[in-house]
Every structure is written in structure tokens, then in C-alpha cells.
Amino acid sequence: MTQALRVLVIDDNKSDRALIIRQLQREFSPLHTQEIIDAQELERAIANANFDAVVTDYQLGWSNGLDVLRAIKAHYPRCPVVMFTNTGTEEIAVEALKSGLDDYVLKAPNRYIRVPAAIRVALQRNEIRKQMALLEIRLQRLLNQVKVGIFRATTDGTIIESNSAFLELLAVKSLAQANEINLLNLRNDGVEWGDRLPPQQEREVQFQRNDGSESWALLTTIPNTVEGITVIDGLLEDITDRKRAELALQQLNTDLENRVRERTAQLEAVNQDLEEFAYSVFHDLRAPLRTIQGYAHILLEDLNDSLNTDDREYLQRIAVNAEQLDTLIIDLLAYSRLRQADVDVESVDLSRVLTIVVAQLQQELQEQQAQVQIQEPLPFVQGNRLILIQVLTNLMSNAVKFIADGIQSQIMIWAELYENHVRLWIKDNGIGIAPANRQQIFRPFIRLHSAEEYPGTGIGLAIARQGIERMGGQIGVEFHPGQGSQFWIQLPVAEEFL
Ligand code: ADP
């Protein structure tokens, strides 16, 4: 239920009071009026504080409207008071308005209706004022609750207003102290903005708080015009913890990088040592092998006639095995070198590489009466010429080697050009490779046949794969039953071919 509006009606004239009350009743419901006709009643009413608005005449037998107004406003400054009179002068009206009178209505027959309207307006004004005050309190509370510093500064960087969080962030007690920190640093910029507005900015600032501690904050400044004057509104957000974490992380990264660099240097030194060690081991191994081979041959030649069949075979086996071991050592050395050395790539003409490879394999190709068919023209690739010669030599010598007895070797070579890479195919008509073995044959020492069937060390394809991968390419094999093997290498196409 709405509470009744309580109005004091102060007038010596009974019928005037009745008229006012009637008008009030038309406008307000529920309504409670109290008629005051002497000073005691007024005093009592003021003491009881049981009214919301007052309508008073000016001319009273026991007082006057101005005194009544002052008495009421002295106790209840917000309580609406409307003066309704025909005896007041303009001076009185001005005086009354100065003392806080809400409205002044001349007492005339058709003016009664104005009294409730004046009260309503005054009440509404009060209500709005109350709401605004509440809003301001709420806003202020909110501004003081947020952890973000909020401030307003002049264009020279002097802070003129702030919330409490701002002062806390700077560890200061007053704006004067805050200004000593010169956070905005505008005064030192020497930039004269004149009529222009400084641009909106967001930057990280490092500053010393009043308590001496170092802090970081995210400072956002927004230019604003308030009543024609340019000001800078700003936000200050504490990012000290984040910044400290960032710095710690940076330090950690630097330490880590240093450690990685140290370890890499150590590893490189170890690698270097190992390479030298491997080289000297290979070298030292080959020398006695060559001696064994040499003596085996001398014995075979010198004792040729006097040797029985078994002895000759033993000596021959010694020579063949020593030779095989020597080849293995050479292959292993090539493989280990390829793993370590830096590989330079350039534009390489595949046709020229194949011409060299075919020339190098001339003897083996002739022995097998091999037919080599190269589909020209072949493109240029990004690669290393020497490694490519070695890889293709290994692939082609396998192509003529792994072939059934009595079959004439046929090798076909062609290239496919894709968007940015080239795939070179080497197809033979040999014994082929079962799909299950397609991955493992590229590992070192993997051989699918005995040395008696097909001689070899099992390193050739490992070298090929290592070499191709060091050049940023790929290698693989496909097998179509009854059709031999189809090896391929894939490399980036040379830049001039793109
Ligand atoms: P190696 O030729 O010395 O035996 P590789 O590493 O070159 O060693 O080859 C590994 C194995 O892969 C060979 O022993 C053979 O079993 C198989 N292989 C390689 N190339 C071919 C081919 N063109 N046709 C059939 N088998 C092959």
C-alpha cells in the first residue's frame, strides 16, 4: 500500500485551508493533511517530523510565511515548501526563494490548482535529487572498489581527480603526492597539443611507488573535453606480477639458451672427436686388411701349382672376405661422413648427374648387358651434386645387381614434375622387393639376401636415404609383382624451374 502524502496546511483562513485541501485531495491519494493555525502546533509538527510537504500563507496572525519557511528548512532542508499568498510582495518572494522556497503561488480563485502541481514538481525534484545522490554514492563506491586506478589529468599531466585504487597503486595518500611521481610524464614530453587532442594511448610504464618499490602498470590515456576544456582521462592497471613473471621467464629462457649453447658446443666437440676417432679406426683397419689381401694374392700366385684344391679355395676366401670387409669400411666411412658434414645445396642438372653415373658404372652395365633408358629432358633440382651422384650410383648398381640369372637388365629412368618438387623414378626388371621389406631396406646393414647370392654390405640404401634426407628430400620404393622394383627420390625443384 502506498503511504499517504502528509501535508501541513498553514493558513489562518479556514475556507482557504479547505480549498487548498480540496485541491490537494484531487491530486494526491492517499493524502493526509494537518491544518496549523498557531505557533505551538507548528512547533509540535516540526518536532514530530510527520509531514512530507508544506503549503503556507505569508500573512499569519502568529507568524509570517518567511519565518515558517526558515523554521521548516532549518530542520528539513529537502522538505518542499510552497507559499500561497496574496499579501506578499516581490521582495518577499525573492527573499523566500533565496531561503529555499520551492514555489510561490499567488492566491487567486483560479490559482488553487497550482498548489498541488507545485508540490508535485518539488517532490519529483527531490526524488530525482535523491536518486542522483544514490547513484553518485554507488558510482563512487564502485570506483573505489575496482582494483583499477581511474584518474583525470590536465593536458600537462597534472592529476586533478582519482579514485582510491589509483592512490593505492602509487602508494600515496594524496593527489599532491601522486603528482610528484610524474606518472604521465607529459611535462617532459615537451609536446604542445594546443587545440588538438593528444591521441589515445596504451603503454606499459615502470615507476617507483612512494614506498620505494618498483612497479609496472598498464597506462591507458584517453583525451576528453569537459565543458570546453581538454583533459586526459586515464586508467592505471597494476601489471607488476605479470611483468615480474615475464622477466623471470625471460631470464629462464636466457639461462636455458646459454645452457643449450654450451651443451651444443660440448656435443659438437665430442662429435668432432668421434669423427676423428672413427676416421683413424677406419684407416687403421684398412691397412692390415690390405696386407692380408696382398699376402693372400702373393701366396695364390707363388704357390699356384703346389696348392691343393682346398688350400686354394681357403686362400681365395681369405682374399674375397678381406676385400668385402674393405668395401664395408669404405661404405661405413661414407655413411658416417654424410651424417655429420654440412650439406650445401644448389641447382643441379639431373641429366648431367646421370651421364656421370652411367659412365662410372660402365663396366657393371656392360657385364650385365644392361639397357639404360633415360627419358629426357630431365629437370633441375635443388640438391648437392656429389651426393646425388653417389645416391644414383647406389640405386643403379642395385638395379643391375639384384636380377635373376639369365635375364638382361633393363633400367628406365624418368621424372615427374609437381608444383614445387621433382620425383625421379628408377625402374628395373630385377627380383623385386616384398612390400613388407620396403621400409627396412633403407636401414644400415639390412640385406635380404646372402653375400653368396648377391654381394654387398647393406649400406648402399642407407647412404642413399641419408643423402636424400640431408638435402631435404625423400626416398622410397614401389613394387609391382613380376615387374622388378621401382625406386624413387624426391627433391625440391630448382628455383629457375618454378
Ligand atoms: P647392398 O646392395 O649392399 O646389399 P643396399 O643397402 O644397397 O645394400 O640394399 C639393401 C637390400 O635391399 C639389398 O641387400 C637387397 O636385398 C635389397 N635391394 C636393394 N635394391 C634392390 C633392387 N633394385 N631390387 C631388389 N632388391 C633390392
Side-chain angles (χ1 to χ4, degrees):
M1 204 179 82
T2 14
Q3 264 195 337
L5 178 73
R6 300 162 306 172
V7 184
L8 294 188
V9 181
I10 309 174
D11 200 315
D12 288 352
N13 187 322
K14 196 175 173 197
S15 56
D16 278 357
R17 292 202 301 271
L19 274 168
I20 292 169
I21 290 170
R22 225 180 66 209
Q23 286 301 331
L24 288 172
Q25 278 167 341
R26 282 192 179 162
E27 179 75 20
F28 301 107
S29 170
L31 175 81
H32 178 267
T33 53
Q34 188 186 349
E35 296 172 47
I36 304 285
I37 50 165
D38 60 35
Q40 287 88 353
E41 277 184 6
L42 178 65
E43 259 174 48
R44 220 175 298 131
I46 289 176
N48 289 342
N50 55 0
F51 56 91
D52 309 304
V54 177
V55 181
T56 180
D57 192 0
Y58 178 72
Q59 190 91 54
L60 299 165
W62 44 276
S63 182
N64 67 59
L66 211 55
D67 287 343
V68 168
L69 165 74
R70 285 179 181 145
I72 288 168
K73 288 284 178 181
H75 290 88
Y76 313 109
R78 298 255 173 267
C79 175
V81 179
V82 174
M83 203 175 278
F84 185 54
T85 182
N86 54 7
T87 52
T89 60
E90 209 169 293
E91 287 74 35
I92 290 168
V94 170
E95 197 52 37
L97 286 168
K98 270 196 214 159
S99 301
L101 185 73
D102 292 84
D103 211 344
Y104 187 94
V105 184
L106 268 180
K107 209 182 258 183
N110 56 353
R111 296 254 173 167
Y112 282 80
I113 193 164
R114 286 224 182 164
V115 172
I119 288 184
R120 183 169 289 287
V121 168
L123 286 171
Q124 276 171 351
R125 205 188 297 137
N126 259 357
E127 187 57 30
I128 289 170
R129 213 182 280 143
K130 208 163 83 191
Q131 294 296 340
M132 274 175 62
L134 274 178
L135 201 69
E136 207 176 305
I137 291 169
R138 241 188 284 153
L139 255 175
Q140 201 58 46
R141 222 181 267 158
L142 201 74
L143 287 184
N144 286 336
Q145 263 174 13
V146 288
K147 292 268 182 286
V148 178
I150 303 169
F151 63 89
R152 172 165 288 175
T154 57
T155 44
D156 72 354
T158 309
I159 291 149
I160 46 177
E161 258 183 80
S162 84
N163 67 345
S164 51
F166 178 77
L167 300 179
E168 276 163 30
L169 282 179
L170 302 184
V172 295
K173 294 214 159 45
S174 66
L175 282 181
Q177 281 182 322
N179 275 319
E180 279 168 26
I181 292 179
N182 187 19
L183 182 75
L184 296 178
N185 202 22
L186 291 179
R187 279 166 287 188
N188 300 341
D189 280 359
V191 182
E192 276 298 327
W193 293 107
D195 291 339
R196 290 175 301 135
L197 288 179
Q200 174 166 348
Q201 267 190 353
E202 194 178 85
R203 59 195 158 114
E204 288 182 359
V205 287
Q206 189 183 4
F207 60 93
Q208 201 172 31
R209 284 154 47 104
N210 213 30
D211 59 11
S213 57
E214 279 297 320
S215 276
W216 281 268
L218 184 69
L219 174 67
T220 313
T221 46
I222 310 140
N224 199 357
T225 311
V226 179
E227 288 160 12
I229 300 168
T230 304
V231 291
I232 294 169
D233 287 337
L235 300 175
L236 191 71
E237 237 174 297
D238 190 7
I239 53 166
T240 309
D241 289 347
R242 195 193 82 198
K243 227 36 207 181
R244 287 212 181 109
E246 258 174 41
L247 287 179
L249 203 70
Q250 250 173 36
Q251 186 59 44
L252 208 70
N253 272 341
T254 318
D255 289 353
L256 213 67
E257 270 167 26
N258 285 341
R259 268 165 52 195
V260 167
R261 215 171 292 134
E262 268 171 39
R263 295 285 295 164
T264 313
Q266 283 170 358
L267 277 174
E268 271 167 8
V270 170
N271 265 347
Q272 179 75 25
D273 287 353
L274 265 177
E275 204 184 337
E276 280 163 20
F277 173 73
Y279 185 73
S280 66
V281 168
F282 289 140
H283 193 264
D284 293 352
L285 277 177
R286 288 191 69 199
L289 265 180
R290 274 201 301 271
T291 315
I292 294 171
Q293 268 176 288
Y295 282 123
H297 282 298
I298 290 171
L299 283 176
L300 275 170
E301 277 166 24
D302 289 0
L303 303 177
N304 192 16
D305 296 337
S306 53
L307 282 173
N308 64 33
T309 332
D310 278 353
D311 290 343
R312 180 175 293 112
E313 204 189 313
Y314 294 153
L315 274 176
Q316 272 166 346
R317 272 207 207 158
I318 289 172
V320 166
N321 274 296
E323 199 182 312
Q324 247 182 26
L325 204 52
D326 195 34
T327 321
L328 178 63
I329 290 168
I330 293 168
D331 282 356
L332 277 175
L333 191 59
Y335 180 66
S336 100
R337 284 244 169 94
L338 209 49
R339 279 171 72 93
Q340 276 148 22
D342 286 335
V343 172
D344 297 326
V345 291
E346 54 181 344
S347 169
V348 181
D349 180 356
L350 282 177
S351 288
R352 290 192 57 193
V353 166
L354 281 167
T355 311
I356 296 168
V357 172
V358 171
Q360 276 181 5
L361 292 175
Q362 197 58 39
Q363 196 186 338
E364 283 160 83
L365 293 172
Q366 263 171 11
E367 273 168 19
Q368 296 288 329
Q369 293 182 339
Q371 279 185 353
V372 180
Q373 209 182 319
I374 300 174
Q375 272 180 27
E376 298 279 2
L378 292 174
F380 284 49
V381 290
Q382 278 293 109
N384 177 292
R385 211 171 64 91
L386 290 179
I387 296 179
L388 263 171
I389 291 174
Q390 181 157 25
V391 169
L392 288 170
T393 304
N394 292 3
L395 291 178
M396 277 185 68
S397 70
N398 279 351
V400 281
K401 180 164 67 173
F402 294 102
I403 192 150
D405 278 345
I407 305 264
Q408 190 195 6
S409 170
Q410 284 175 342
I411 303 173
M412 266 195 15
I413 296 174
W414 73 97
E416 282 165 7
L417 188 60
Y418 296 95
E419 206 172 304
N420 53 7
H421 63 265
V422 172
R423 191 174 266 212
L424 186 76
W425 291 92
I426 300 101
K427 180 182 185 316
D428 63 43
N429 58 339
I431 56 174
I433 298 161
N437 299 323
R438 277 200 308 214
Q439 298 291 330
Q440 61 187 44
I441 51 168
F442 293 101
R443 293 199 209 117
F445 302 119
I446 299 294
R447 310 200 68 240
L448 304 177
H449 310 278
S450 67
E452 280 77 36
E453 276 180 287
Y454 298 104
T457 58
I459 305 290
L461 287 181
I463 289 179
R465 176 174 151 199
Q466 189 70 242
I468 291 291
E469 286 180 355
R470 291 299 311 269
M471 291 186 285
Q474 284 174 307
I475 187 167
V477 64
E478 279 188 12
F479 174 62
H480 303 286
Q483 288 186 23
S485 313
Q486 231 170 279
F487 279 84
W488 54 265
I489 59 170
Q490 190 169 298
L491 283 168
V493 65
E495 267 158 27
E496 62 261 39
F497 253 77
L498 284 172

